[in-house]
Amino acid sequence: MNWQLPLMLAQTNDSNLENLRERTEAISMQGTTVPDSSLIREGTSNPFATEYWFPTQASSFAGEVDFLYMSIFWISLVFFVAIIGAMVYFCVKYRRKDGVIAPEPSSSHNTAIEILWSVLPSIILVWIFYVGAETWFEMRIPKENAEEIQVTAKQFGWLFTYEDGDQTNELHLVRDKPVRLIMQSEDVLHSFFVAAFRQKMDIVPGRYTYAYFEPIKDGVYRLSCNEYCGTGHSKMKTACIVHTSEEDRKNNTKWIEAEKTPFENGQRIYQIHCSGCHKVDGQAATGPALNLIWGENEKMIDGTTELVNEDYVLDSIWYPEKHIVEGYGPVSKMNSFKGILDQKDVDYVIAYLKELKEQSGDAK
Ligand code: CUA
């Protein structure tokens, strides 16, 4: 049972996003799937309309990107039809006929045609370059008032840190507020991609990369990793939510530990740090599922069994090499979280695991 979904939606009290619930029905923090914005047809059934084939144009330059793409598509189509058409026509017209041995003489030079087929394509290509460069500059050069959001990509999830220090694992933005992402990877090569924004940028370990855009339409869009980064690559996606006001955004990103239950704090830590590799629906992933383990005796790769209690959880988070569950060896794929999660955080995780066990038990 996906009981986390209502909790997540309950946090989203954005009045202008009434259909948010519907559109995020597919959101599950267990795997974080988001409806593909390319499936939202923007109310057109005309297959010749750009909006029919492409995701919602939700950034300031999305329309220009699509315009250039469609222009090149139609130019290519026109030339394809003209060239193939002429070729077929000439093949038939000048085919070898019975009784005619020598080929008809052909003209070796025609100044008018040669100028035409040199100048016309040149003009078209220069135009494509001009429009392409113009759009590219718009996608690359941030406006001066752009807010900065830190993005940390890791196997297999996202962490977004806002200017006021809030952190989330979905990206929350404000409509008409330009944003510059400062991105880094904790491990391997990833790539930031939001189709609705027509923006994509690799995230490279050992250096910062940047992405810039201005969301112009509120809604929920899919944010995914677009560079194969390991077995969980296809799961490395989350929601990008564009709010209508700064206040709405703040309501969705602020997290006051003291106002939350240990369970909620634990769930949040799970979502930010653990959900990339550990599921809570009983399914094995990069690491074992976490929902049924509390209080159980788990089998280790060395044949021993370990009781999942407070010490076991602390060890597993701080010293992942210490206990490796059978089937997940021979070495631990997990990095130590010592220095990232302190003992209080571990307490929250424990509270979360305890309740998960109870809830999963109830659902049975
Ligand atoms: Cu991260 Cu693919």
Side-chain angles (χ1 to χ4, degrees):
M1 191 183 94
N2 184 6
W3 49 271
Q4 286 168 308
L5 180 60
L7 194 122
M8 195 241 167
L9 289 172
Q11 293 168 2
T12 318
N13 47 2
D14 191 333
S15 57
N16 287 303
L17 284 174
E18 276 164 4
N19 58 350
L20 181 74
R21 178 179 291 269
E22 220 170 273
R23 291 169 78 177
T24 53
E25 238 165 12
I27 292 187
S28 144
M29 294 323 293
Q30 297 168 6
T32 321
T33 53
V34 179
D36 193 341
S37 44
S38 66
L39 298 177
I40 302 162
R41 288 275 182 247
E42 287 291 285
T44 179
S45 55
N46 172 13
F48 292 100
T50 306
E51 310 84 71
Y52 184 84
W53 297 102
F54 286 163
T56 311
Q57 296 172 346
S59 75
S60 58
F61 49 68
E64 285 167 59
V65 173
D66 290 358
F67 168 73
L68 184 61
Y69 182 92
M70 292 315 284
S71 302
I72 294 172
F73 172 77
W74 286 113
I75 290 168
S76 305
L77 192 70
V78 165
F79 277 95
F80 176 80
V81 169
I83 290 167
I84 298 296
M87 199 178 79
V88 170
Y89 173 73
F90 288 138
C91 283
V92 173
K93 183 168 184 203
Y94 297 110
R95 72 188 184 279
R96 183 168 173 177
K97 293 176 187 133
D98 284 347
V100 182
I101 303 298
E104 287 185 41
S106 65
S107 56
S108 65
H109 186 78
N110 184 317
T111 309
I113 287 182
E114 290 200 8
I115 289 175
L116 187 73
W117 76 32
S118 302
V119 172
L120 188 66
S122 302
I123 292 172
I124 294 173
L125 289 175
V126 168
W127 179 80
I128 290 173
F129 170 78
Y130 176 78
V131 178
E134 205 180 35
T135 309
W136 189 81
F137 285 131
E138 219 180 300
M139 295 169 76
R140 281 263 142 265
I141 302 169
K143 286 193 186 157
E144 272 189 9
N145 61 345
E147 65 168 328
E148 295 191 331
I149 297 176
Q150 306 279 338
V151 180
T152 307
K154 58 183 181 212
Q155 288 168 317
F156 299 99
W158 302 88
L159 180 64
F160 302 98
T161 309
Y162 304 86
E163 282 177 346
D164 57 8
D166 287 347
Q167 289 189 315
T168 59
N169 65 338
E170 320 94 37
L171 178 57
H172 291 268
L173 301 170
V174 181
R175 194 182 63 199
D176 300 325
K177 186 166 187 183
V179 50
R180 182 170 181 254
L181 303 179
I182 301 169
M183 308 190 288
Q184 55 185 306
S185 166
E186 267 184 18
D187 35 52
V188 298
L189 200 63
H190 301 278
S191 185
F192 171 91
F193 182 52
V194 179
F197 296 155
R198 310 292 190 276
Q199 186 59 287
K200 175 158 78 172
M201 180 49 77
D202 279 4
I203 305 172
V204 186
R207 59 167 290 193
Y208 292 96
T209 54
Y210 309 89
Y212 166 73
F213 48 86
E214 180 177 345
I216 55 164
K217 202 177 256 181
D218 48 288
V220 183
Y221 308 105
R222 178 187 288 187
L223 189 167
S224 60
C225 174
N226 252 50
E227 184 71 56
Y228 183 73
C229 53
T231 49
H233 161 71
S234 62
K235 308 256 162 50
M236 194 173 159
K237 55 196 173 194
T238 185
C240 173
I241 299 136
V242 179
H243 300 276
T244 47
S245 71
E246 189 69 60
E247 205 191 333
D248 282 335
R249 193 234 317 248
K250 187 68 194 162
N251 287 335
N252 284 277
T253 56
K254 76 162 170 242
W255 190 267
I256 302 165
E257 213 172 275
E259 286 180 3
K260 308 284 179 179
T261 64
F263 168 78
E264 287 169 322
N265 285 321
Q267 182 183 45
R268 175 180 154 81
I269 290 168
Y270 163 79
Q271 286 169 353
I272 288 179
H273 295 288
C274 323
S275 61
C277 296
H278 294 280
K279 304 288 215 162
V280 287
D281 59 0
Q283 302 291 312
T286 308
L290 300 181
N291 52 325
L292 292 169
I293 58 167
W294 182 261
E296 297 293 316
N297 282 300
E298 293 291 306
K299 208 152 189 217
M300 300 295 127
I301 47 169
D302 59 7
T304 59
T305 51
E306 291 284 339
L307 175 68
V308 180
N309 58 13
E310 286 82 356
D311 266 337
Y312 177 87
V313 174
L314 182 66
D315 278 349
S316 297
I317 292 173
W318 281 4
Y319 314 106
E321 292 292 342
K322 206 162 160 182
H323 309 296
I324 299 173
V325 177
E326 196 175 38
Y328 296 92
V331 292
S332 173
K333 297 183 188 85
M334 181 172 156
N335 295 324
S336 170
F337 280 77
K338 196 163 171 41
I340 300 169
L341 299 179
D342 61 21
Q343 200 143 3
K344 179 182 63 159
D345 296 327
V346 175
D347 281 344
Y348 289 143
V349 172
I350 289 168
Y352 177 61
L353 295 181
K354 277 183 182 167
E355 197 157 332
L356 272 184
K357 177 73 189 295
E358 275 170 38
Q359 301 240 10
S360 297
D362 291 349
K364 266 187 175 170

